[in-house]
Amino acid sequence: MTELNLPGGAVTLVAGPAPTSATGWTRTAYAASHVVANPMADNDPWLDCAVDWDRTLAFREHLWALGFGVAEAMDTAQRGMGMDWPTSLELIRRSTALAKAGGHLIASGAGTDHLAPGPDVTLDQVIAAYETQCEAVEAAGSRVILMASRALVQAAKGPEDYARVYERVLGGLEQPAILHWLGEMFDPALAGYWGAEDHVVAMDTALEVIRANAAKVDGIKVSLLSAEKEIAMRRRLPEGVRMYTGDDFNYPDLIAGDDEGYSHALLGIFDPIAAVAARALGQLGKKDLKGYHATFAPSVPLSRHIFKAPTRFYKTGVVFMAYLCGHQDHFTMIGGQESARSTLHLADIIRMANACGSFTDPERVAARARPVFAARGVEV
């Protein structure tokens, strides 16, 4: 019995099932993976990127071993929140080389984050920025995930400008891309994407862009935290274009689907709950819907807690889980983001992760949790 006297109440930690590798999955599932900071780097942590490459790449091997594809250099990897484009490209190159060597699935984020948004930025500059990153990602050997652009939000005057940019960028790709519609709850600078504040109106523009470029679109990841909006869009996609759920609140039902279709997955929550998600996807592949929902159900409160508003700080919970589970030896993040959530928030992560069977070694979890809480003035 391993007990922690956490703020808000004591919890008895229990060992969850051992991880199992993928067999018979009927959904394509990407885990958007975090980066491990190098805590020993002599740098300015709020300003500079310092990555522990060995631990970062080892975590990707962990995800691949469970059966996931890796969605590389996305917002989960602190893109736009500490990770700059040169470091992101190095991450993409290293991860893609490992993926190709092992025959694993990978897709990588290409955006415009090296172009500072501003009133003087033109659409041509946005296109050029996208093309620079897309060419680099494809040169590394990875499929592109075309990330939403903060610069495009400011440069575009209306939906027609989004259509122009996407047609030009998609037209230059060697392989079909996954589009990425990241809602403003994840990044406030993306409010009004596709030229409209109303998501339903914006969806019409996104669908027009997809239909006009369907041969160059593998699918779209939608992160609006609304099952209703995702389902409505999924039912309107052209044949052969996939919906990848990015809904970290409603993923079990969206992946299971209904009589009119289902969503594949490209999720940040699959980083901290990879073993749980792998078990559930295996059960879905065996058409064991009861088991699938029973496995996933306890993970939903954990996911909703990690991704609670301000949602953009969810990376803190993701890295805290990686630390507790032994994937890294410290709870230090790029940009000092380990401070972005409260002590009570971290305590509830342990409580909820314990309930969904995420911990295989309770003693290790307790030993790692104690110094984190002690540094915050709490003995557990």
Side-chain angles (χ1 to χ4, degrees), residues 17-302:
T20 56
S21 59
T23 54
W25 288 10
T26 54
R27 306 289 189 268
T28 299
Y30 287 94
S33 187
H34 76 283
V35 291
V36 182
N38 177 3
M40 300 306 295
D42 184 12
N43 68 342
D44 295 306
W46 286 16
L47 303 175
D48 304 322
C49 301
V51 177
D52 181 334
W53 293 112
D54 290 342
R55 284 290 197 174
T56 294
L57 296 174
F59 189 77
R60 281 134 182 82
E61 296 277 19
H62 160 70
L63 294 172
W64 284 319
L66 289 173
F68 293 98
V70 166
E72 191 54 275
M74 305 297 293
D75 51 301
T76 306
Q78 296 186 240
R79 201 68 183 269
M81 289 185 70
M83 279 284 282
D84 57 26
W85 165 238
T87 312
S88 297
L89 179 56
E90 179 68 13
L91 176 62
I92 290 166
R93 287 170 172 162
R94 288 174 181 252
S95 292
T96 302
L98 273 182
K100 291 169 72 70
H104 304 305
L105 185 63
I106 191 168
S108 304
T112 65
D113 46 324
H114 63 288
L115 173 65
D120 297 327
V121 172
T122 67
L123 289 180
D124 285 339
Q125 287 175 305
V126 172
I127 290 170
Y130 262 135
E131 290 178 335
T132 293
Q133 293 202 13
C134 287
E135 289 169 6
V137 169
E138 290 199 320
S142 175
R143 177 177 296 238
V144 165
I145 302 172
L146 202 60
M147 301 174 71
S149 165
R150 293 173 178 173
L152 179 55
V153 173
Q154 294 197 28
K157 305 303 182 186
E160 65 282 355
D161 286 341
Y162 285 86
R164 175 189 163 191
V165 170
Y166 275 82
E167 180 180 12
R168 172 72 176 272
V169 175
L170 289 169
L173 295 179
E174 297 175 1
Q175 297 185 70
I178 299 172
L179 306 189
H180 187 199
W181 184 3
L182 191 68
E184 62 275 9
M185 64 290 294
F186 287 88
D187 185 348
L190 296 176
Y193 210 76
W194 303 112
E197 297 289 339
D198 186 326
H199 290 160
V200 176
V201 176
M203 187 184 300
D204 289 338
T205 300
L207 285 164
E208 289 174 9
V209 167
I210 291 169
R211 292 189 194 104
N213 303 278
K216 288 297 183 77
V217 179
D218 169 73
I220 182 168
K221 166 186 162 71
V222 174
S223 299
L224 299 177
L225 301 183
S226 167
E228 294 76 17
K229 291 173 185 175
E230 179 175 317
I231 291 169
M233 188 173 189
R234 186 174 75 196
R235 290 175 176 169
R236 297 172 63 191
L237 288 174
E239 185 176 355
V241 175
R242 301 180 178 194
M243 172 61 72
Y244 290 93
T245 186
D247 189 331
D248 300 280
F249 283 8
N250 304 293
Y251 51 92
D253 288 339
L254 290 165
I255 295 169
D258 54 32
D259 292 340
E260 297 185 52
Y262 55 80
S263 296
H264 297 274
L266 198 164
L267 286 163
I269 194 57
F270 279 1
D271 178 311
I273 67 161
V276 173
R279 285 198 301 275
L281 291 168
Q283 290 167 316
L284 182 62
K286 297 174 182 176
K287 299 184 179 179
D288 176 11
L289 278 175
K290 183 177 180 181
Y292 167 84
H293 285 293
T295 298
F296 255 151
S299 75
V300 174
L302 172 64

Side-chain angles (χ1 to χ4, degrees), residues 7 196 289 348 359:
L289 278 175
D348 284 338
F359 299 139

